[in-house]
Amino acid sequence: MQEERRKFTRESADERKRALINATLELVADKGVRGATVRGIAERAQVTQGLIRHYFSSKEDLITAAFEYHMTQMTDQTFAPAASVTDSARARLRVFVKSSLEPPVVDPRSIALWAGFLNKVQHDAQMKATHERTYVYFRDQLEALIRAALEEAGIAAAPERLYQLATACNALIDGLWMEGGALPEAFAPGELPQIGLTSVGAIIGLPLEP
Amino acid sequence: MQEERRKFTRESADERKRALINATLELVADKGVRGATVRGIAERAQVTQGLIRHYFSSKEDLITAAFEYHMTQMTDQTFAPAASVTDSARARLRVFVKSSLEPPVVDPRSIALWAGFLNKVQHDAQMKATHERTYVYFRDQLEALIRAALEEAGIAAAPERLYQLATACNALIDGLWMEGGALPEAFAPGELPQIGLTSVGAIIGLPLEP
DNA sequence: AAGCTAATTATACACTTGCATAATTAAGCC
DNA sequence: GGCTTAATTATGCAAGTGTATAATTAGCTT
C-alpha cells in the first residue's frame, strides 16, 4: 500500500495551454466548434474540465487562442520550405507551390479545421481579422514570388496584371488544397503538386516544371 | 369575440417538408449543423418542434434531406445557364465558367453551408457519397466542355492531359468560389468571372475572353 | 352536422452544455 | 519538516438538447 499515486501533476502554464489548444484543435477538426465541448477537450488533454477556466476565461477564449495558433502554424508550414531556397526566383516559386500542395498542408484535418472555424470566423470580428490577414499575407507572398520569377525571366508585367496572376494562382492552390483534403483518395501522391506546377506555369506564362 | 383564429393550418406534406428543409439550410449556414437545433428550425418554419418528428424520423434524417436538396439546387444553378447556349463549344465553356463565379453560386451562404455540412460529410457514408458524386459530375462536365472547345479549335489533347486540365480548371473555379464567398468585400463585381475566364483560357491554351 | 383521421401542438424526460464556486493537493520556500 | 499558495479537482446549477408520447384540432367524408 506504499504505492501512493499522485492524483495529478502540476505543469507549466505554457505546457498546459499548449495541451488544451491541441486537444481543442483535434476536437474542432473532428466535430466542429460546437462539438468541441469543454468536457471533451479536458478529457483529451487529460485534465478535468475546471482547469480550462483556470487558463482561459471562457470557451470562446480558448477557441480563439486555438484558431490563432493553428493559423500561425499553417503559415509557418507553408512558408518554411521556400524560405531556404536561394537558387533562383523560379526555383523558390516552384518550391512554394509544391509545398503548399503536399502534406502536412494538404490534409483532411486542415480542411476540417478550416470548415469548423468558418462559422466563428464569419461572426467573430477578431477571428475574421486574423483570417483576412492570413489570406492577404499568403496572396502577397505569392505575388512577390511571381513578380521575381517573371523579372528574372525578362518578362514585364503591369501591377494590375500581377495582381490578377497572384489572385488566380492563389485560387488554384486553394482549390487543389481543398480538393486534396476533402477527397484524399481521389488523387495519387504527387499528383496535386504536379498539376499545380503545370497550371501555375500556364497561368503566369512561365513553365515551372523541372 | 367572434374573431376565432385558427390555432394552425394544415399544409401538404411537400410544402411542410420544403419549409422545414429551407429553415434547416438557413440555420446550418448561420450556425452549423450542431447549431441548427430542432427548436430553432421549428421556429423558423413557423411550426412547433414536434412536427419535425412527424415528417422526418430524426434530426439526422432532416439534415441529410436538407443536404441532398441543397446539392441538387447548387448543381442546377451552375449548369442551367450553360445548357441553353448553343453557339459554340467555346461560348458554352465561357458561360459555364462565368456562371460558376457569379451569384447565386458565389455567395457567403454557399460557403457557410459547405463548411457547415463538411463534418457530416466526412462522417456519414451517404452524405459522403452525395458529395463525391457531385464533385465528379461537375469535374466531368467541365472536362467535356474543355474537350469540345479544344476540338473545335483544332487542338488535340490526350485523355490524360485532358483530365489534368479539367482538374486544374475545376480547382481554380473552386478556389475563386471559395474566396469570393469567404471574403466577399475583397472582390469587385465581375472581377471573379474575369479572372476565371482569363486563367482557364491560359491553362487550357485557348483564350476565352470576349 | 356529426364523426373520423391525420396533422399539429403540448408536455415531459433524460442527458449534455458552459460556467461558477468550493474543496483538495502538489510543490516551492524558509 | 511545516507553511503557503497557486494549480487542480470536485460538485452543483440553470439552460438547452433530441426524442418520445399524449392531447388537441383542422378539414375531409358522408
Side-chain angles (χ1 to χ4, degrees), chain B residues 7 10 37-39 49 53:
Chain B
K7 292 197 173 175
R10 296 186 171 195
T37 67
V38 290
R39 284 170 180 80
Q49 51 156 324
R53 283 276 298 172

Side-chain angles (χ1 to χ4, degrees), chain A residues 88-131:
Chain A
S88 68
R90 190 148 95 177
R92 213 155 46 239
L93 177 57
R94 193 183 294 138
V95 169
F96 180 82
V97 172
K98 186 162 172 287
S99 61
S100 298
L101 294 173
E102 282 174 337
V105 177
V106 169
D107 183 74
R109 193 187 109 120
S110 275
I111 300 285
L113 277 174
W114 189 87
F117 279 125
L118 185 70
N119 266 280
K120 284 262 157 195
V121 167
Q122 291 188 330
H123 289 78
D124 181 291
Q126 184 186 346
M127 289 178 68
K128 194 173 205 162
T130 300
H131 182 244

Side-chain angles (χ1 to χ4, degrees), chain B residues 3-10 16 46-48 51:
Chain B
E3 186 76 24
E4 252 193 46
R5 220 178 260 156
R6 297 266 114 86
K7 292 197 173 175
F8 59 89
T9 55
R10 296 186 171 195
R16 274 279 134 91
Q46 309 243 49
V47 297
T48 53
L51 197 61

Side-chain angles (χ1 to χ4, degrees), chain A residues 116-196:
Chain A
F117 279 125
L118 185 70
N119 266 280
K120 284 262 157 195
V121 167
Q122 291 188 330
H123 289 78
D124 181 291
Q126 184 186 346
M127 289 178 68
K128 194 173 205 162
T130 300
H131 182 244
E132 283 198 28
R133 177 165 25 88
T134 303
Y135 167 79
V136 170
Y137 181 66
F138 190 96
R139 212 207 60 84
D140 286 351
Q141 290 289 322
L142 183 54
E143 181 169 332
L145 284 171
I146 293 172
R147 184 194 308 118
L150 289 181
E151 269 177 15
E152 191 181 74
I155 304 174
E160 182 151 351
R161 174 161 164 76
L162 217 45
Y163 163 81
Q164 293 194 355
L165 293 182
T167 302
C169 292
N170 190 22
L172 175 77
I173 291 170
D174 278 359
L176 289 172
W177 170 79
M178 189 167 78
E179 280 152 26
L183 300 147
E185 65 286 351
F187 300 95
E191 191 175 356
L192 287 177
Q194 194 260 309
I195 295 178

Side-chain angles (χ1 to χ4, degrees), chain B residues 93-123:
Chain B
L93 177 58
R94 192 184 294 137
V95 170
F96 179 82
V97 172
K98 186 162 171 288
S99 61
S100 298
L101 294 173
E102 282 175 339
V105 178
V106 169
D107 183 72
R109 194 186 108 121
S110 274
I111 300 285
L113 276 174
W114 190 87
F117 279 125
L118 185 69
N119 267 278
K120 284 260 158 199
V121 167
Q122 291 188 330
H123 289 78

